[in-house]
Amino acid sequence: MTTSDDDALGDAVARVYATVDPPPVPLLQAASGILAWRCADDALAALLLDSAVAGAAAGVRAGPADGSRMLSYGAGDTVLDLELTDEDGTMHVTGQISRPLTAPLEIRHRDGTWTGATDAVGRFTASGLPSGPLRVTWGPGPDGETFTTPAILPL
């Protein structure tokens, strides 16, 4: 088979899957929305800890069974700790950034954007957010640094 034969075969298989077992429309909409949240100038934080994955084995107090989830993200020397609590279809987000200063904070969610700021020691709380994907952006700080988490998907 030549490269063009391989491409034609791949296209044919893709058409079959699109016809027989297409992806759910809500999944396509969520994926498209998450891509729209990207900002190339922000430092994209790496996941350091997710209690939904490591919680039971590590003995973390909160786990998926109680509706609470602990996450830590890092970029450079900055760390963001989050606690997500899902109650009756709404999210409560409590967090702290390792840089003790007041700076803008934005949480994007499926229905829009929550805006606020961290306090003088880097803490914040957001309540009443809809359950679903979230993305947290902190900054810019005094040095111009902006810190963004990847999309946080609910479990």
Side-chain angles (χ1 to χ4, degrees):
M1 288 182 94
T2 66
T3 302
S4 62
D5 291 338
D6 291 342
D7 291 342
L9 179 60
D11 290 343
V13 170
R15 283 193 304 277
V16 168
Y17 275 112
T19 303
V20 175
D21 188 21
V25 172
L27 178 65
L28 292 174
Q29 291 169 337
S32 176
I34 287 170
L35 289 175
W37 290 357
R38 295 233 15 168
C39 181
D41 295 333
D42 296 352
L44 188 60
L47 180 65
L48 304 175
L49 171 76
D50 183 348
S51 67
V53 176
V60 174
R61 70 173 173 83
D66 66 5
S68 185
R69 183 175 177 194
M70 303 291 292
L71 298 155
S72 287
Y73 291 93
D77 61 352
T78 305
V79 175
L80 173 66
D81 294 315
L82 298 171
E83 180 177 11
L84 309 177
T85 307
D86 191 352
E87 295 176 6
D88 299 324
T90 61
M91 279 298 223
H92 178 81
V93 180
T94 303
Q96 182 166 7
I97 193 128
S98 63
R99 307 207 40 210
L101 50 91
T102 302
L105 188 95
E106 176 179 278
I107 300 175
R108 292 186 182 193
H109 52 81
R110 71 169 191 234
D111 294 340
T113 304
W114 175 93
T115 56
T118 55
D119 65 14
V121 292
R123 298 174 302 197
F124 66 91
T125 300
S127 297
L129 304 176
S131 291
L134 302 172
R135 174 168 276 176
V136 179
T137 300
W138 172 86
D143 58 0
E145 179 184 12
T146 302
F147 180 99
T148 299
T149 67
I152 302 167
L153 302 176
L155 291 180

